[in-house]
Amino acid sequence: MATSLSLPPYNFLIINFITLPLFFLFLVKKSFQHKNIKLFFFYGWLFGFGFFITNLYWISISLTFDQNFSFLIPFALILIPAFLALFYGLISYFFIIFKSKKIIVSFLIFSLIFGIVEFIRGSILTGFPWNLIVYSFSEQLEILSIISIIGTYGFNLFCISLFTCPAIILLRDTKYDLVVCFLFFITTVIFFIYGSSYKNNFNLLKKEAYDYKIRLIGSNISLNRFYFNTDPVSVIEDLIKLSKPEINEKIIFIWPESILPDILQEELPKYHHLFNEKFNENHLIALGINKKVINESSKDYFNTFSVYDNNLNLLYSYSKIKLVPFGEFLPMEKFLSKIGLKSITNNYQSFSRGNKRDIIKINQKNYSIKILPLICYEIIYSGKLFENSNFDLIINISEDGWFGESIGPKQHFAHSIFRAIESGKYLLRSANNGITAIINPLGIVEKKIDYKKSQYIDFYERRKIQPTVFSIY
């Protein structure tokens, strides 16, 4: 449980130098006492259960908004951590199978298995790479710069090894074993030196100014709008007021994910009269909005990032690819729907998955910009977010109200820092009930709207670096 305190928003990184060595020491000592492999699986499962139940408790909060789901709260609190803990059970299970008589070899096997299992956890089925050990380094940006080369999973493997190193001091076979421990700490220093140099080189680059602004809206509109028949007109009027359109300035407005209640993508033009007086040909509006597609025998719904002109003509649309299990789609829906279950975030049916994440190329009204769109949950995935690094910005829109007033929004935001460093791109984030921010390619938050605040921030200049090694390869 204590390991959770090393993660955002607490970031007590030093705790990992205690808990991971103790876990490793426990497994090694128990391996001399008995050879019951099944029991070792249980040891790992217990460690994982304590870890996940203390840092993912907020998942159950999403079930409190609809009384139909309230009976599932105890299951979410217990079963999700219990399921994720199975991966940690596999770590100790395979460790005891491959454990060596030499402590250094056992240490390396432990780290490698841990790193591989964490990668599998983030990839298998739909994947859930939330709260990897590496997120303990969220505030050590100079060291974190190394993920621009080796990526989040590569650095996660290194972190596991680094944190477990103190166990070598107690278990070493010879004094030479300490050399391995020393090398990991020296490598950390090298990463810091690299990151400091990377930062200095970035700061020497000349800033390029756009002839337009990208205005990110951070809002604090209650999720009750989905459950109490909130008038969408009032929400639109609040957002327009918050956006403060300026007639003589070119601005792209970014509104959060699924921000408008009960309005589909094709229905938004019906509200043109609300936009008509405030927006003109200098403006574009990008927002999260749901889309309905009618097929011959069915209707499909998509969670989209859509771009409109000032007349609310749809210009570009991206349909979300990575959907949240049970939140946006119901696994085994035909069966589970018969017992009264449905997806949490909409009132009709599961969302359908988009086909492909294409770069949005805005080339009109004197705008010229290439955007990689990521909707909410998609920001947590490392790698395979794009095939071509030839784009200007990452834009992430999110609705974090499902986390309630918990640590969830802060954990979610931390993933944005990692994606910015990995890609070497500015990341612009617009969130409702969450954190809205501009994050530069070093992971530095240049502008920010804190949780539960409603205002806007503008992005209009950048320093451009070459695509990172990780983003290319």
Side-chain angles (χ1 to χ4, degrees):
M1 292 183 179
T3 306
S4 293
L5 295 175
S6 70
L7 300 169
Y10 310 110
N11 296 107
F12 298 131
L13 180 147
I14 194 71
I15 288 175
N16 287 334
F17 287 105
I18 301 172
T19 55
L20 289 187
L22 286 176
F23 181 41
F24 179 73
L25 284 166
F26 175 81
L27 294 178
V28 171
K29 292 296 184 181
K30 285 294 181 180
S31 71
F32 295 133
Q33 297 174 12
H34 65 81
K35 300 297 181 181
N36 188 336
I37 296 178
K38 293 180 180 179
L39 197 55
F40 278 90
F41 179 89
F42 181 64
Y43 295 150
W45 183 88
L46 281 177
F47 182 91
F49 183 72
F51 177 67
F52 288 115
I53 198 171
T54 49
N55 61 55
L56 292 179
Y57 69 88
W58 47 261
I59 291 178
S60 62
I61 295 175
S62 64
L63 301 173
T64 63
F65 294 97
D66 187 335
Q67 292 301 313
N68 294 320
F69 294 104
S70 59
F71 75 97
L72 292 174
I73 291 175
F75 296 95
L77 278 172
I78 302 299
L79 291 185
I80 292 176
F83 171 75
L84 293 173
L86 296 176
F87 291 96
Y88 280 39
L90 292 175
I91 293 170
S92 54
Y93 178 82
F94 285 111
F95 169 71
I96 207 63
I97 291 176
F98 295 106
K99 177 183 171 294
S100 171
K101 292 181 179 179
K102 295 183 177 180
I103 195 62
I104 286 298
V105 177
S106 293
F107 159 76
L108 294 174
I109 288 173
F110 174 79
S111 299
L112 183 60
I113 291 173
F114 205 138
I116 291 173
V117 170
E118 286 284 72
F119 176 78
I120 293 171
R121 174 166 73 89
S123 307
I124 197 171
L125 301 176
T126 60
F128 190 64
W130 201 289
N131 286 349
L132 303 172
I133 298 298
V134 70
Y135 286 99
S136 303
F137 271 91
S138 295
E139 294 184 343
Q140 283 68 43
L141 296 182
E142 283 82 3
I143 297 176
L144 203 57
S145 289
I146 196 63
I147 69 173
S148 65
I149 297 176
I150 64 176
T152 295
Y153 287 113
F155 190 50
N156 190 55
L157 174 59
F158 175 84
C159 289
I160 293 165
S161 304
L162 175 68
F163 291 139
T164 310
C165 270
I168 297 176
I169 298 173
L170 298 175
L171 295 175
R172 65 187 184 275
D173 296 321
T174 70
K175 61 181 180 181
Y176 297 108
D177 290 350
L178 296 177
V179 173
V180 174
C181 191
F182 177 74
L183 286 176
F184 275 101
F185 285 102
I186 286 296
T187 304
T188 305
V189 174
I190 293 172
F191 288 168
F192 178 84
I193 294 171
Y194 165 78
S196 298
S197 175
Y198 191 66
K199 179 179 179 180
N200 290 334
N201 291 337
F202 177 81
N203 289 332
L204 290 173
L205 295 173
K206 186 179 179 179
K207 287 187 176 181
E208 300 177 0
Y210 293 114
D211 63 348
Y212 54 86
K213 297 176 181 177
I214 299 178
R215 180 161 294 175
L216 305 169
I217 307 305
S219 54
N220 187 35
I221 300 172
S222 172
L223 280 181
N224 288 337
R225 68 189 187 277
F226 291 125
Y227 297 101
F228 295 101
N229 298 317
T230 301
D231 182 6
V233 172
S234 66
V235 176
I236 293 174
E237 289 176 338
D238 287 345
L239 288 166
I240 291 175
K241 183 178 180 180
L242 187 57
S243 300
K244 294 184 178 178
E246 299 164 42
I247 299 300
N248 296 320
E249 288 199 47
K250 293 171 57 180
I251 305 175
I252 301 175
F253 299 90
I254 310 294
W255 291 359
E257 176 195 18
S258 301
I259 192 66
L260 305 179
D262 299 321
I263 299 179
L264 295 171
Q265 185 188 75
E266 61 273 18
E267 297 171 342
L268 188 57
K270 296 178 183 178
Y271 299 87
H272 177 261
H273 61 283
L274 299 176
F275 293 80
N276 192 40
E277 293 183 2
K278 300 294 185 179
F279 296 89
N280 65 16
E281 63 276 1
N282 287 323
H283 302 142
L284 298 177
I285 304 155
L287 75 160
I289 192 167
N290 297 341
K291 177 176 72 172
K292 179 174 68 175
V293 176
I294 300 177
N295 303 309
E296 291 182 2
S297 58
S298 65
K299 297 177 183 178
D300 292 331
Y301 292 87
F302 299 86
N303 184 356
T304 82
F305 174 81
S306 300
V307 183
Y308 294 85
D309 67 13
N310 64 296
N311 293 314
L312 298 186
N313 296 308
L314 181 64
L315 305 178
Y316 311 95
S317 178
Y318 159 69
S319 296
K320 189 176 182 182
I321 292 174
K322 285 285 189 179
L323 301 175
V324 182
F326 297 97
E328 293 176 308
F329 78 96
L330 190 64
M332 301 179 293
E333 186 169 19
K334 290 183 178 179
F335 170 72
L336 293 179
S337 62
K338 292 179 180 179
I339 59 174
L341 294 183
K342 62 185 180 67
S343 56
I344 296 170
T345 58
N346 62 61
N347 296 319
Y348 21 87
Q349 64 183 53
S350 291
F351 282 116
S352 296
R353 180 179 179 271
N355 294 321
K356 184 180 180 183
R357 183 182 298 112
D358 288 320
I359 305 300
I360 294 177
K361 300 176 182 178
I362 300 177
N363 290 302
Q364 60 186 64
K365 295 183 181 290
N366 297 319
Y367 288 104
S368 179
I369 189 169
K370 299 175 184 177
I371 294 170
L372 177 73
L374 296 176
I375 301 176
C376 191
Y377 180 76
E378 293 182 315
I379 199 69
I380 75 173
Y381 292 92
S382 172
K384 296 185 179 180
L385 289 176
F386 52 88
E387 297 178 359
N388 184 354
S389 60
N390 183 25
F391 60 91
D392 301 304
L393 306 166
I394 298 175
I395 291 185
N396 175 224
I397 57 172
S398 186
E399 169 57 83
D400 286 356
W402 304 106
F403 303 125
E405 297 185 22
S406 70
I407 60 177
K410 298 178 180 67
Q411 291 179 354
H412 199 197
F413 176 70
H415 288 83
S416 304
I417 294 171
F418 281 70
R419 301 296 85 79
I421 300 173
E422 284 180 338
S423 63
K425 307 289 185 180
Y426 279 86
L427 191 147
L428 313 185
R429 188 172 195 266
S430 171
N432 185 52
N433 299 301
I435 298 171
T436 295
I438 296 170
I439 306 170
N440 73 20
L442 301 178
I444 295 172
V445 179
E446 294 189 348
K447 296 181 182 180
K448 179 181 176 182
I449 302 172
D450 281 323
Y451 176 65
K452 295 188 76 67
K453 297 286 182 67
S454 293
Q455 59 190 84
Y456 71 80
I457 49 178
D458 286 339
F459 176 77
Y460 49 83
E461 61 180 4
R462 65 170 179 169
R463 290 184 172 96
K464 186 177 181 181
I465 64 174
Q466 294 299 313
T468 63
V469 172
F470 178 77
S471 69
I472 296 173
Y473 300 106

